[in-house]
Amino acid sequence: DLVPALARMSERMARTLRGALSPLLGGAEPQINPMKPMQTDFADFCSEIPRLAANSLFHAGSAPFMTTIEGENVLRLLDRAFGGPGDTPSSLPKEFPLSAELLIERVEHIIATCLALALGGSTGGAIRAVRREAAYANLQAMPDSTQVAGLTFNVVEQGRMPWGISLAFPIETLAQIFAHGEATSRPARPSRGPNLPTQAPFSELPIELTAVLVDMALPLATISTLEVGQILSVPIARSVPLIVGGKPCAYGSIG
């Protein structure tokens, strides 16, 4: 009964993923379609993972499971996060850049939160990501012969290519997380908390920045005698303040 229980849980998790993923997708909630879980071995589950992918090892309490997102889809999300249309480079890198690693970390947090809500807190401990690798073989998540239930969530957005989040749950992990039965109540959506300055709506607000090269006081008598072409000798500070709202927020040098 473990795989059918996973299928029922996936419906609950899909509801929470819709709202949790929307900040990464421009604010619009996508359609999340969970596929029917399939029981197989870990080697077969990994057979279609590309060379570059966001492979993350999680622990639900002490029980392991793995998630994977194709690297091309991660880079599309990253391009959109920086205001692009969602393009990918002509040739994929061997490793993810730091900016992509930060995005993957955020997705890991979303997956952990939504899974915990869908399970009704019956995991026997916090769900957390413990390690990630761009190449799944380096992750060494579990032996190839491990029997797993593979679950994929297809993320569908209007006018864009669908992409997927795949999870591999060892059967022993399912036995632990469903040891106390299934959650019966519909979980509340995860709280997003206060938006960061890098998130909408604040990220789009224009802010006036002023670099103060020179700030000097002159006597009124000197100002009253200024003539066209006169040169004032002024010192240029090595540390030039950048002013926002009348207060310095950073310092830099000229050159």
Side-chain angles (χ1 to χ4, degrees), residues 89-183:
S90 55
S91 60
L92 297 182
K94 293 182 179 180
E95 298 287 341
F96 287 116
L98 177 59
S99 53
E101 292 283 347
L102 296 174
L103 177 66
I104 295 168
E105 182 179 356
R106 189 173 175 188
V107 174
E108 288 173 346
H109 177 72
I110 289 172
I111 293 173
T113 301
C114 293
L115 179 58
L117 287 169
L119 292 171
S122 60
T123 58
I127 298 176
R128 63 198 184 281
V130 296
R131 197 165 69 253
R132 81 175 67 96
E133 291 285 349
Y136 80 89
N138 296 336
L139 191 63
Q140 297 181 342
M142 60 196 77
D144 287 347
S145 59
T146 303
Q147 291 297 300
V148 300
L151 172 64
T152 297
F153 293 95
N154 285 330
V155 183
V156 181
E157 304 175 74
Q158 186 174 5
R160 295 187 180 274
M161 292 180 59
W163 55 282
I165 303 173
S166 297
L167 301 89
F169 292 93
I171 299 302
E172 292 183 0
T173 295
L174 293 181
Q176 290 191 41
I177 64 179
F178 292 127
H180 302 289
E182 300 179 54

Side-chain angles (χ1 to χ4, degrees), residues 210-214 236-243 249-255:
T210 303
V212 183
L213 301 183
V214 177
I236 301 294
R238 291 185 177 182
S239 182
V240 176
L242 189 65
I243 305 298
C249 69
Y251 292 87
S253 59
I254 301 302

